[in-house]
Amino acid sequence: MKQVLSLKVNGEQFDVEVAPHRTLLEVIRESIGLTGTHKGCDEGDCGACTVLMDGKPIASCLVLAMEAQGKEILTIEGLADGDKLHPLQEAFINTGAIQCGFCTPGMILTAKGFLDENPKPTEEEIKKAISGNLCRCTGYVQIIEAIREASKTLQNVR
Amino acid sequence: MTTEFSVVGKGLPRVDSILKATGQARYGDDYSLPGMLHGKILRSPHPHAKILTIDTSKAEKLIGVKAIVTGKDFPPGAKYGFSAPTRDQTPLAVEKVRYIGDEIAAIAAVDVDTAEEALDLIKIDYEILPSVFDPEEALKDGAPQIHDHAKNNISAESHFAFGDVEKGFKESDYIREDTYLTQPIKHGFLEPHASLAFWDSSGKVTLWANKQSPYIVYRKLEMGLGIPLSKMRIIQTYVGAGFGSARSDPFALDFCSIMLSKKTGKPVKVVYTMRDVLVMGEMRHPFKMEVKTGVKKNGKIMAIQCRVIADGGAYNSIGPFSIALAGFFIAIPYRVQNTRYDAYRIYTNKSFCGSFRGHCIAQLRFALGQQLDQIAHDLKMDPMELHLKNASQPGDTTPEGYKITSCGLEECINKAAENSGWQKKRKKLPPFRGIGMGTSGFITGVKLSGHNSASAVIKMQEDGTASLLTGATEIGQGSSTVLAQIAAEVLGLRVEDITINEGVDTDTTPIDPGTYGSRVSFYSGNAVKKAAENVKSQLKEIAAQALEANPADLEFKDRKVFVRGFSEKGVSIDRLVRYAQNKLGKTIIGHASYDSGIEFVDYQTGKGNLSATYTFACDVVEVEVDPETGQITLTNCVGAHDIGKALNPTLCEGQLNGAFVMAQGQLLYEDLIRQDGKVLNPSFRDYKMPTAVNIPKHHKNILVETNDPEGPFGAKEVGEGASVAIFPALANAIHDAIGVRIKELPITAEKVLKAIKEKKKNNNL
């Protein structure tokens, strides 16, 4: 039986009717229509579906939509401030950290959740933080560079 | 001669990066149409069985199910595949299934859950047939025959011989014979296959799909569906990476979404799960290689002989070409006069193999590169000396007929050695630390029958920007960006002035094999360059009148056309375009095609010039092995790559880094484990690809620019060959670290630990 669910995504309230077994990933993509959060393995192994839930990176394919009620969800579509890109997005664009782009939204959000907690990370800490986000294209080097660049920009802003 | 370019050679941001960084790029599953149905595919649970009856009656009755298709819904006898003699696939299984995962039926329903439930309601009566999983067992007389046409389950054979190997071995001072084994590897892209099809009321089919070779797909769809090409339109969505034939071919989801749409009159979307992707065919061929190399005592290679058994799986795909390609590459990157190659691709009742980044050349280099390293070790020579002594040189013509034009292999070897501290470290590292070197050569645009044209069309817009149309496919490697850079450079525009088609649309974009055969930068790049020059000459004619100058004296820069040396007195390009439109009544449209002019290689004999030009590389890898766990850490890695010209150095770095880590994965962790034909690890949890914590501590890429005479602005390929030299380099480094050569991939921690323990035991005896 479908139930009405009230979700707060990117600062906006969405009332959707969902069956209880639907994942947050499915509801974000299909009921709300935000397709920037990608469905990769759908089993919690690849990180492509990462969103922030109350500021923490989660695999949205492993979270039931019902569990997200009352929480703040941030997807990639909510990261930029109008047409002003977030420093992470700028850094990813400038360092060549994006190739096919499929892992990018999840990778950027994992990085955001991480930098919010650890604004001055070492390279090892960055690598560990994104070790749950697979990328088959870049070999991670430019992604790590982008996160380092963004951390510097964010520190200057603070 | 180095020329300062305005746009080419600069590490500019990708043209599609903003859309990708903000989640607005639309991939296969991001497309929807009103009234759309959802499809699911039924896969065989048996490795080899005859299909006796398929009863879909119960499934049809489930509320929400709108249509079901089986093999019988497709034109009888219709087969599709790489080439006419090797075509052996049908859209869905017809008489029998040949591997666990072989597709049998498809259902379209109002939602995915209903379609999935309905799959369970399809009743199939099978006659189980004996199956065979080992290729050498499958070759034997009396083994279960998987395809009627293939005696002894031989899917394909390649036999090449040049010079006289027997003579070469007789003249050798030292000969080694070794056997090497590689494993099945999945492409590992994160985006599953997704297709949305609509068979409209006029009988036209539109398919939105994440393909890297939409034209190859549309031709094969025509074969399997029996509908004319004019009734088929493929629109390429954004593609979440490819790495080989998994994105170049149609599969059940494409055929079935189309047929289900025909039956229901509604759009039908089929999206595979990652489990589907890991269970279905398309992966790197496992190779068993018996290799024999003979050298003179000064290290000169006299003869190479290679016998390959490739485990092809249940169907051909591009496999017959794959094993030929491996054989073509004995000729490079070493000068060898006497070679012999015998390869057999064998059908087995497992998921089938196709093309994969590096396309069988990687397996061969793993074997030959390690064997050469062992020879150096046995002769107490520096492997670097061996590489240099035998290295391909510019101007070489190999016995096969390959014409090496630009070749920076020697420079690559020297630079890799210099930057890695090779001489300082070789033989001087402490136990369990090792350094290894590997080299490779690769094709840039092999000429394949049936898929060779590369063309571009450029239309000038009235604001002076350009609209560029090509059949090249952006799959993450950066083709859209470099093609835009090439057009901008020729026309004196900025990259942001070039609007390149977001994806291929077979109705409008020029036919092209797509991202296939390492050809995009070279072939499409040259086509774009020529098309831009065509536009340039049209604009020159108009500008020459306006400036009262000779067209030959005109230059294009900063969005203006001016007489050379008088840049302040020019006319802006947008004014020229509007002049043409308003006064002359014409749109400035330029177009061009590019063909390298090389002949086709004879696939029976291996004779001919395989590729318009070749890239070369040398990798030096340093490792640290933990003697307690066998775990390998890559410490310092240096790769020197002759790529002709870096059209965009940032994108080149990305390709080189990605290729390295992909190779590392295959060397150390990845293995598609199949038991009795069943994939035991169809998930990324258990099919272990490298993560950010696995990459080398230090990795340096050196771009060696040999400025190829034929490549656009001197460019050759960079995405594929880059991965090949790492195979021998890393394997050789491990041997150097532990004193044991592991000849079977993946070189896991368990294998390393076992080797260390055995060596210790043998030393104590």
Side-chain angles (χ1 to χ4, degrees):
Chain A
M1 286 276 88
K2 286 191 176 176
Q3 289 180 45
V4 174
L5 182 60
S6 202
L7 285 178
K8 190 150 181 229
V9 181
N10 301 332
E12 224 183 301
Q13 204 72 32
F14 292 93
D15 290 329
V16 288
E17 238 183 59
V18 294
H21 66 281
R22 292 264 80 92
T23 64
L24 179 60
L25 174 64
E26 286 166 337
V27 171
I28 287 172
R29 287 180 58 81
E30 293 158 39
S31 311
I32 298 174
L34 293 169
T35 57
T37 306
H38 297 145
K39 185 186 274 195
C41 70
D42 208 24
E43 290 182 345
D45 295 317
C46 74
C49 69
T50 306
V51 298
L52 295 184
M53 189 153 85
D54 286 346
K56 300 255 182 298
I58 52 131
S60 62
C61 70
L62 292 181
V63 171
L64 292 175
M66 318 277 347
E67 288 179 67
Q69 184 140 245
K71 307 247 165 72
E72 299 255 353
I73 309 291
L74 183 72
T75 73
I76 191 70
E77 290 92 340
L79 190 57
D81 182 7
D83 60 0
K84 188 167 178 291
L85 295 176
H86 187 277
L88 273 165
Q89 289 167 309
E90 293 277 9
F92 267 64
I93 288 166
N94 293 326
T95 59
I98 303 174
Q99 288 190 31
C100 83
F102 199 76
C103 77
T104 302
M107 193 71 78
I108 288 179
L109 288 169
T110 294
K112 178 181 192 315
F114 166 68
L115 290 179
D116 286 347
E117 295 280 303
N118 186 350
K120 284 199 207 166
T122 63
E123 183 158 309
E124 289 312 306
E125 286 168 340
I126 294 174
K127 286 178 178 180
K128 191 136 188 270
I130 59 168
S131 60
N133 290 76
L134 291 177
C135 174
R136 197 57 157 166
C137 294
T138 66
Y140 305 103
V141 177
Q142 286 153 318
I143 291 176
I144 294 160
E145 204 182 301
I147 296 172
R148 202 183 317 121
E149 280 307 305
S151 74
K152 292 191 189 133
T153 310
L154 287 164
Q155 280 171 65
N156 289 336
V157 165
R158 285 206 180 101
Chain B
M1 187 189 87
T2 47
T3 319
E4 188 49 47
F5 296 116
S6 310
V7 165
V8 158
K10 307 259 188 297
L12 301 170
R14 305 172 59 97
V15 298
D16 55 9
S17 52
I18 297 178
L19 290 183
K20 286 176 173 172
T22 55
Q24 288 195 4
R26 289 203 298 165
Y27 299 85
D29 188 19
D30 300 337
Y31 282 79
S32 291
L33 285 172
M36 185 175 80
L37 299 172
H38 298 266
K40 273 281 172 184
I41 310 282
L42 182 66
R43 296 183 179 281
S44 165
H46 304 296
H48 199 196
K50 274 202 192 126
I51 300 171
L52 300 173
T53 58
I54 303 181
D55 179 1
T56 59
S57 55
K58 262 190 136 173
E60 284 165 38
K61 291 199 188 84
L62 186 67
I63 294 172
V65 169
K66 300 298 180 187
I68 302 182
V69 292
T70 65
K72 297 208 170 80
D73 286 294
F74 296 91
K79 285 200 157 88
Y80 72 94
F82 177 68
S83 68
T86 64
R87 245 160 244 165
D88 62 0
Q89 283 172 274
T90 52
L92 286 174
V94 181
E95 279 145 18
K96 62 177 189 169
V97 289
R98 295 182 174 88
Y99 77 98
I100 296 176
D102 210 349
E103 299 96 355
I104 310 167
I107 296 187
V110 294
D111 56 48
V112 170
D113 285 351
T114 306
E116 249 174 43
E117 199 184 326
L119 288 182
D120 289 339
L121 298 175
I122 297 180
K123 287 239 150 332
I124 305 186
D125 258 327
Y126 294 102
E127 181 193 316
I128 310 283
L129 298 169
S131 33
V132 59
F133 308 113
D134 179 276
E136 284 175 299
E137 288 301 314
L139 257 179
K140 292 184 178 156
D141 287 334
Q145 189 155 346
I146 300 173
H147 287 270
D148 292 340
H149 70 274
K151 193 173 176 299
N152 294 103
N153 292 310
I154 296 176
S155 115
E157 287 180 53
S158 275
H159 304 282
F160 308 141
F162 294 94
D164 184 341
V165 278
E166 291 313 321
K167 183 162 174 280
F169 285 128
K170 277 207 183 76
E171 290 172 358
S172 301
D173 296 320
Y174 184 65
I175 297 173
R176 270 205 74 93
E177 285 186 68
D178 299 282
T179 300
Y180 289 86
L181 292 161
T182 67
Q183 82 283 47
I185 296 291
K186 293 295 284 187
H187 301 85
F189 40 74
L190 297 193
E191 188 204 5
H193 303 302
S195 296
L196 169 60
F198 187 37
W199 190 301
D200 72 26
S201 53
S202 74
K204 178 121 180 203
V205 174
T206 306
L207 182 77
W208 290 262
N210 48 6
K211 301 292 186 193
Q212 70 184 66
S213 300
Y215 280 104
I216 293 174
V217 167
Y218 104 142
R219 245 185 234 177
K220 288 180 183 173
L221 285 174
E222 180 216 6
M223 292 174 206
L225 293 168
I227 64 177
L229 290 176
S230 59
K231 287 296 193 184
M232 179 105 58
R233 179 184 186 191
I234 314 256
I235 295 175
Q236 176 219 340
T237 65
Y238 271 84
V239 182
F243 311 116
S245 52
R247 295 284 209 213
S248 293
D249 281 346
F251 305 112
L253 85 168
D254 306 296
F255 289 104
C256 294
S257 58
I258 291 171
M259 214 41 120
L260 288 166
S261 180
K262 183 183 186 193
K263 275 194 165 185
T264 58
K266 297 225 159 77
V268 176
K269 179 154 81 169
V270 182
V271 183
Y272 277 0
T273 61
M274 197 50 77
R275 202 156 280 258
D276 279 318
V277 176
L278 294 173
V279 157
M280 65 177 263
E282 298 298 356
M283 67 192 80
R284 165 158 268 161
H285 286 81
F287 266 23
K288 177 181 176 185
M289 295 163 280
E290 287 161 8
V291 291
K292 183 175 174 184
T293 303
V295 302
K296 281 273 197 238
K297 57 174 174 278
N298 67 2
K300 181 167 160 59
I301 301 174
M302 295 306 291
I304 295 180
Q305 186 169 292
C306 194
R307 184 176 183 270
V308 170
I309 302 280
D311 183 354
Y315 296 99
N316 270 338
S317 179
I318 194 177
F321 171 72
S322 311
I323 59 163
L325 191 63
F328 295 152
F329 265 77
I330 302 188
I332 300 180
Y334 305 120
R335 297 166 136 180
V336 198
Q337 295 302 306
N338 309 301
T339 58
R340 185 174 161 170
Y341 179 77
D342 295 288
Y344 303 87
R345 185 182 186 277
I346 313 297
Y347 282 125
T348 55
N349 290 117
K350 297 189 300 223
S351 36
F352 60 92
C353 302
S355 66
F356 188 107
R357 190 182 203 173
H359 211 170
C360 294
I361 296 163
Q363 291 95 307
L364 210 68
R365 278 293 124 214
F366 170 70
L368 291 174
Q370 276 211 79
Q371 188 170 64
L372 207 69
D373 187 73
Q374 189 61 47
I375 287 173
H377 187 84
D378 297 342
L379 297 180
K380 299 193 172 21
M381 280 180 80
D382 180 347
M384 181 179 169
E385 213 187 308
L386 224 70
H387 289 302
L388 286 170
K389 183 161 244 98
N390 293 288
S392 300
Q393 296 290 340
D396 276 359
T397 299
T398 72
E400 294 75 0
Y402 309 160
K403 293 189 167 47
I404 314 284
T405 53
S406 65
C407 173
L409 178 57
E410 204 172 296
E411 194 181 337
C412 287
I413 295 169
N414 287 322
K415 285 213 160 113
E418 195 185 302
N419 283 270
S420 61
W422 174 261
Q423 296 303 347
K424 276 206 305 273
K425 291 177 179 166
R426 200 183 83 82
K427 295 257 173 267
K428 297 186 186 98
L429 291 173
F432 301 111
R433 278 183 55 191
I435 189 166
M437 182 182 279
T439 61
S440 65
F442 206 77
I443 47 172
T444 288
V446 63
K447 192 156 171 167
L448 294 169
S449 52
H451 292 290
N452 279 299
S453 51
S455 309
V457 179
I458 298 179
K459 176 182 79 137
M460 294 307 293
Q461 306 281 44
E462 62 186 45
D463 62 354
T465 64
S467 179
L468 169 61
L469 209 62
T470 76
T473 49
E474 170 63 71
I475 59 166
Q477 85 284 48
S479 61
S480 291
T481 306
V482 297
L483 294 178
Q485 282 179 265
I486 289 171
E489 185 69 48
V490 173
L491 293 172
L493 296 172
R494 294 187 200 157
V495 169
E496 56 264 36
D497 297 333
I498 312 292
T499 303
I500 186 167
N501 57 295
E502 208 169 62
V504 161
D505 177 339
T506 58
D507 266 4
T508 55
T509 54
I511 191 166
D512 193 286
T515 300
Y516 198 78
S518 283
R519 336 172 2 120
V520 180
S521 297
F522 193 88
Y523 279 79
S524 299
N526 269 328
V528 169
K529 189 161 183 272
K530 281 173 75 177
E533 278 154 8
N534 183 238
V535 166
K536 200 171 176 179
S537 67
Q538 292 179 49
L539 290 171
K540 268 186 183 177
E541 256 186 63
I542 303 168
Q545 280 188 34
L547 296 172
E548 291 177 340
N550 190 333
D553 296 330
L554 295 175
E555 259 188 40
F556 284 59
K557 208 177 164 140
D558 294 327
R559 298 165 165 164
K560 278 192 338 214
V561 185
F562 51 88
V563 174
R564 197 168 295 116
F566 297 94
S567 59
E568 62 306 333
K569 276 199 218 151
V571 58
S572 64
I573 290 173
D574 64 309
R575 280 190 68 195
L576 291 173
V577 175
R578 284 199 301 278
Y579 180 84
Q581 268 174 213
N582 302 332
K583 291 285 181 350
L584 307 174
K586 69 183 267 185
T587 316
I588 307 283
I589 300 180
H591 67 91
S593 294
Y594 174 77
D595 179 65
S596 57
I598 59 172
E599 299 295 320
F600 288 107
V601 157
D602 182 333
Y603 293 118
Q604 298 307 313
T605 62
K607 277 207 181 82
N609 188 14
L610 178 62
S611 170
T613 186
Y614 303 83
T615 53
F616 296 90
C618 177
D619 274 275
V620 173
V621 171
E622 216 183 303
V623 300
E624 210 169 287
V625 179
D626 183 334
E628 303 290 313
T629 62
Q631 296 273 20
I632 297 165
T633 304
L634 276 66
T635 52
N636 289 299
C637 301
V638 176
H641 300 263
D642 164 19
I643 49 150
K645 166 99 192 142
L647 295 170
N648 184 318
T650 305
L651 293 181
C652 288
E653 288 279 335
Q655 286 298 293
L656 297 176
N657 295 334
F660 187 101
V661 175
M662 195 175 214
Q664 179 188 343
Q666 294 176 40
L667 280 156
L668 303 180
Y669 323 118
E670 295 172 41
D671 194 356
L672 190 74
I673 301 168
R674 297 174 293 183
Q675 194 177 80
D676 297 334
K678 186 176 165 126
V679 175
L680 298 184
N681 57 343
S683 80
F684 288 145
R685 185 171 47 254
D686 298 316
Y687 179 82
K688 296 194 186 298
M689 304 197 296
T691 70
V693 296
N694 302 121
I695 66 174
K697 287 194 163 30
H698 303 284
H699 185 199
K700 184 174 182 181
N701 294 314
I702 300 166
L703 301 175
V704 171
E705 292 187 322
T706 52
N707 293 302
D708 189 82
E710 190 64 17
F713 297 103
K716 300 192 277 193
E717 67 88 32
V718 70
E720 233 191 315
S723 59
V724 179
I726 298 142
F727 280 77
L730 177 46
N732 291 336
I734 294 168
H735 166 260
D736 191 46
I738 64 174
V740 179
R741 194 167 291 281
I742 297 173
K743 299 179 188 172
E744 187 178 336
L745 289 179
I747 304 175
T748 57
E750 287 94 331
K751 283 188 184 137
V752 170
L753 202 56
K754 189 166 174 227
I756 292 172
K757 286 188 172 151
E758 270 182 31
K759 180 163 197 280
K760 209 170 172 187
K761 204 168 76 177
N762 290 337
N763 285 345
N764 290 339
L765 288 173

